[in-house]
Amino acid sequence: MGLISTFLGFSGFGIGVSAGLVIGYYLFIYFQPTDVKDPIIRPLVERDSETLQSLLPEIPLWVDWLNKFIEYMWPYLDKAICKTAKDIAKPIIAEQIPKYKIDSVEFETLTLGSLPPTFQGMKVYVTDEKELIMEPSLKWAGNPNVAVVARAFGLKATVQVVELQVFAAPRITLKPLVPSFPCFAKICVSLMEKPHVDFGLKLFGADLMSIPGLYRFVQEQIKDQVANMYLWPRNLEVQILDPSKALKKPVGILHVKVLRATKLKKKDFLGASDPYVKIKLTESKLPSKKTSVKHKNLNPEWNEEFNMVVKDPESQAVEFQVYDWEQVGKHDKMGMNVVPLKDLVPNEAKVLTLDLLKNMDPNDVQNEKIRGQIVVELLYKPFKEEDLPTFEDAGAVQKAPEGTPAGGGVLVVRVHEAQDVEGKHHTNPYVRVLFKGEEKKTKHVKKNRDPRWDEEFMFHLEEPPMNDKLHVEVASASSRIGLLHPKESLGYIDISLADVVHNRRINEKYHLIDSRNGKIQIELQWRTAS
């Protein structure tokens, strides 16, 4: 009986489970619940701040910080922006009013009000040029007061703009980046799309926007006019610094000759010191120059010469530091001194005998201690005016050669380098450049994941390549004969050429498609005869 009961138990369990699965599957497929309601979908703009924070806990705090900063700075930005707007508008008004026989058009009142714009987010682009590109999402529901007075035929009319709303996506470019505060020389602002503009317009106190059809007409006219002036690639440029001064180009060469030192004090407990001299130019990031070490000598002679690039002779100085060389441990400082370059007469050699000091603090009593002297010869040679590099020439694009068609030009492709390219079977990278059926190739670089080519190719065109793309592929070829995989692609990129036609020159790093981490740096130029 026990065996029969066990058998029947297992049989019942198997039949029950099978029947339950079949019935459950049938009910799931053929019977739908009737009390299910569609979810309520609401746009994010209708949510309160607490709900948004619970939905998007990772929203960066810098957006709120930036809006707070603009809120505090808005009274000052208001005045600066209004002044710039007047400066831009004056020549435009002066050019347009004669066409309509108007005597004058002037700003009676111009203020942007007390409500600042707010940033909803921002994209930042990194290029290999000395620039920073930002694309913020900007919304402004302001309370400006802009009153313009027009006079004609002895009559006066006042037009007032109120309740302005602007939704825009500008591109703000800070360039070039320079080592002088505020660290950029120019601001370029352009619009990536036509802005949304809504405002009230009053004439003699009456609301003109209430006239049927006028509101839409005026709004479209403003959009078109603003787009014609500032829609990318057109832009508004605001000069911040003089680029030639901000970049501090080299203006001369300082020739330094370290002659000798005398009466140096012994630093070693046993025996004499082993002196050498470090020479550095202040306000320069270049490493210091060093003389040779004169072992066991308190009156060493070097007669060693060095050349140093000078960028600002009015503020820079040459610094000499004498050290005692140690085979083990830190080198002991024996003394120092500084010579301002403004004390030197250009193109005139000067021999100086300098007392060695502990530091350059005139109030430090320890500087009265005798540490010896160093004798140097200095000669500052400024560049001639015609040899000075100019800012305009730094990124200039050459003209196309003679004989180039009037509407055409030369597309120059310069392949600089690649990074982190790697093949499955071999990595001997070279670059294929394909454009309109024509193919160019760089040299092969053997067994290198970070190859550098610096090769240039030219394509002569009869018209600007506004709607064309350039195909660039990094490939690898095996140096062995009979390999199963003689060639393989390491990644590619298709570059739209409209940007280079507008900007004349671009130099960027591109992420390679079909490559894990590969990048390639390509410089493009569009050269025309004009």
Side-chain angles (χ1 to χ4, degrees), residues 26-54:
Y26 177 80
L27 293 175
F28 178 77
I29 294 298
Y30 293 100
F31 290 91
Q32 298 291 338
T34 59
D35 57 343
V36 176
K37 297 181 180 179
D38 292 333
I40 299 175
I41 300 176
R42 296 171 58 191
L44 288 176
V45 292
E46 296 181 3
R47 301 280 185 175
D48 56 22
S49 59
E50 293 183 0
T51 305
L52 283 175
Q53 288 181 2
S54 63

Side-chain angles (χ1 to χ4, degrees), residues 151-336:
R151 292 181 174 86
F153 307 107
L155 301 176
K156 173 184 174 182
T158 302
V159 180
Q160 187 178 15
V161 178
V162 294
E163 298 178 357
L164 179 65
Q165 293 187 13
V166 178
F167 300 157
R171 169 177 285 186
I172 303 172
T173 305
L174 309 180
K175 67 176 185 180
L177 303 180
V178 296
S180 301
F181 190 80
C183 300
F184 54 89
K186 185 167 54 177
I187 301 177
C188 299
V189 181
S190 57
L191 297 173
M192 303 310 295
E193 58 186 27
K194 289 185 178 181
H196 171 77
V197 182
D198 191 5
F199 60 93
L201 193 63
K202 291 185 178 181
L203 179 63
F204 301 115
D207 186 5
L208 292 180
M209 294 296 99
S210 61
I211 300 176
L214 182 62
Y215 171 77
R216 183 173 296 277
F217 172 77
V218 172
Q219 193 178 50
E220 292 300 323
Q221 286 295 316
I222 290 177
K223 284 184 179 180
D224 292 340
Q225 289 298 321
V226 172
N228 289 336
M229 294 172 64
Y230 303 122
L231 191 63
W232 194 85
R234 299 179 181 89
N235 59 46
L236 167 66
E237 294 187 359
V238 181
Q239 196 79 18
I240 305 298
L241 297 174
D242 182 354
S244 59
K245 294 181 180 179
L247 286 172
K248 289 188 177 181
K249 296 289 183 179
V251 296
I253 295 291
L254 177 66
H255 299 278
V256 180
K257 186 174 184 180
V258 181
L259 299 175
R260 57 188 173 274
T262 58
K263 300 178 181 179
L264 297 178
K265 295 304 176 183
K266 185 172 64 172
K267 285 287 183 178
D268 295 339
F269 181 73
L270 298 175
S273 299
D274 307 314
Y276 70 93
V277 183
K278 290 178 65 175
I279 309 106
K280 181 173 177 59
L281 206 58
T282 60
E283 300 180 15
S284 174
K285 295 183 179 179
L286 296 176
S288 302
K289 310 285 187 179
K290 293 182 181 180
T291 67
S292 58
V293 178
K294 299 298 181 180
H295 294 283
K296 298 180 180 180
N297 196 334
L298 298 179
N299 296 281
E301 291 196 15
W302 288 283
N303 293 311
E304 298 181 17
E305 298 184 16
F306 307 92
N307 293 326
M308 313 183 82
V309 177
V310 177
K311 292 186 176 181
D312 189 354
E314 291 299 315
S315 63
Q316 287 185 290
V318 58
E319 182 180 279
F320 299 94
Q321 297 192 31
V322 182
Y323 286 89
D324 177 26
W325 178 83
E326 297 290 346
Q327 188 170 5
V328 178
K330 185 179 179 181
H331 298 185
D332 295 325
K333 186 176 178 180
M334 305 181 71
M336 66 168 297

